[in-house]
Amino acid sequence: MTVIGLDDTDSRSLGMCTTYLATLVAEAVEARGGTVERRLLVRLNPAVEHKTRGNAALAIHTDLPAGAAFDLAREELDRWAVLDDDRTSPGVVVAPGSADTVSTAVAEFARDAVRDFHDLDAAVDLAERSGFLTEGWHGGRGRIGALAAVGASAAFDEWTYEHISYREFHRCGTPREVDFDSVFDAADAAYPEAWDTVDREEGEAVCVPNAPGPILHGIRGDDADTVREVAAAIDSEPVDRSATFLTNQGTDAHLRDGVVSDLRDGRAYRVAGTVATEPKTRPGGHVFFDLEADGSAVPVAAFEPTKRFRNRVRSLRVGDALTACGEVGDGTLKLEKFAVRDLVRTEPATPVCPDCGRTMKSAGRNQGYRCRDCGTDAPGKVERAVDRDLELGWYEVPPCARRHIAKPLVRGGFDAATHPER
């Protein structure tokens, strides 16, 4: 068995996609008489500066000999990789042997590639010490992701599926012809086994990209047959080819447990704390508040693209206890979801006169309150119950704003009552 790892062959501006190139490599493998055992789509650290779009690396598991697989992959990259884009820096890594024989060091490299950063020289050195074949184009930075894709099978325990349908290549850059009613109908029929297909409240077909690449639509879910059935039920322009990938999308593999005092840019965390400032809406519609724990605080943001999720954030009060999840950038935690652990249920209020029902007035500094009509008094403010729009449990960004690797609440496995929002 041989594993072919590919990365960084796509382009923001010129339309190529690494999943498409991996599909072409898999077809070439089969044309050479080889078998494709499985195809992996591995989302790496979404905070990496040099990513093109979703920071996906691909792996193809095949029975072709390593040398033949390496030559074939190089041919396809030479033919299809977009080198006119300065951000594109393709790489290929081919590992002899099955995924089960990947070393602990390579598996750890893959895990760290999702949560941290790697140096190209270190990646090439590890690949060569492992006996892998490598090549890079235009700097070959993609060898980092390619090596991570090779080690992914041994690195992660939780997997989902995505079935990707591709356009006829000459249509790239033109508007996609997709019947959106059929998308919404197919999504409803398969939910929740297939998730993030649409965002009904925003009226958006999340599975249909806006980028100029060859993907027509991509259906994500927990079952391979289900995602293929949803794709087949969508009416659209002709589907040129398609592929089903095993993927770490929708698993929260990027999150690590952290503490407020020790958060670093470019990493994603699951962190506990207490709301320390009232949420404020800033220009552009972004909502900010501070989260505090053990004397340290971090700014937390729900940005405008998270749409209705911001209303959940605006409903928070100082003193609410949370678990917040998201990436840290420029010292700010960018919310992907949060769990309310405890809610403030009362607030200080000026007492009411028990005789006439009017609100009392201050009797002077440190002298409590007095009703000027009845003469009744009270020593200080009282606690008054407040209505809350939130409950204990989890809240998440809508499907239209969810990053590929973030886990939707509907998939379950969370430690409090969930609030799935389609």
Side-chain angles (χ1 to χ4, degrees), residues 15 51 56 91 98 131 150 170 180 237 287-288 329 363 400 416:
K51 69 181 181 181
S98 70
V150 166
H170 70 273
F180 284 87
E237 65 186 57
V287 182
F288 287 80
C400 68

Side-chain angles (χ1 to χ4, degrees), residues 4 6 21-34 36 60 62 64-80 92 94 137:
I4 305 170
L6 307 165
L21 192 141
T23 300
L24 296 178
V25 170
E27 291 177 1
V29 166
E30 292 172 336
R32 300 278 179 94
V36 175
I60 300 164
T62 176
L64 278 187
F70 184 60
D71 291 342
L72 181 152
R74 290 170 61 200
E75 291 172 10
E76 294 300 317
L77 266 84
D78 278 335
R79 182 179 308 160
W80 292 101
V92 60
V94 173
W137 292 254

Side-chain angles (χ1 to χ4, degrees), residues 309-360:
F309 175 69
R310 293 171 297 160
N311 292 331
R312 305 296 197 183
V313 178
R314 291 186 182 104
S315 296
L316 293 169
R317 283 176 168 261
V318 173
D320 290 341
L322 308 180
T323 298
C325 300
E327 174 194 319
V328 176
D330 296 325
T332 298
L333 180 67
K334 306 169 185 178
L335 273 183
E336 296 171 6
K337 56 176 151 290
F338 66 91
V340 178
R341 302 303 185 187
D342 192 25
L343 282 170
V344 172
R345 301 288 186 180
T346 63
E347 64 182 0
T350 302
V352 173
C353 175
D355 294 335
C356 68
R358 293 190 177 94
T359 301
M360 293 184 179

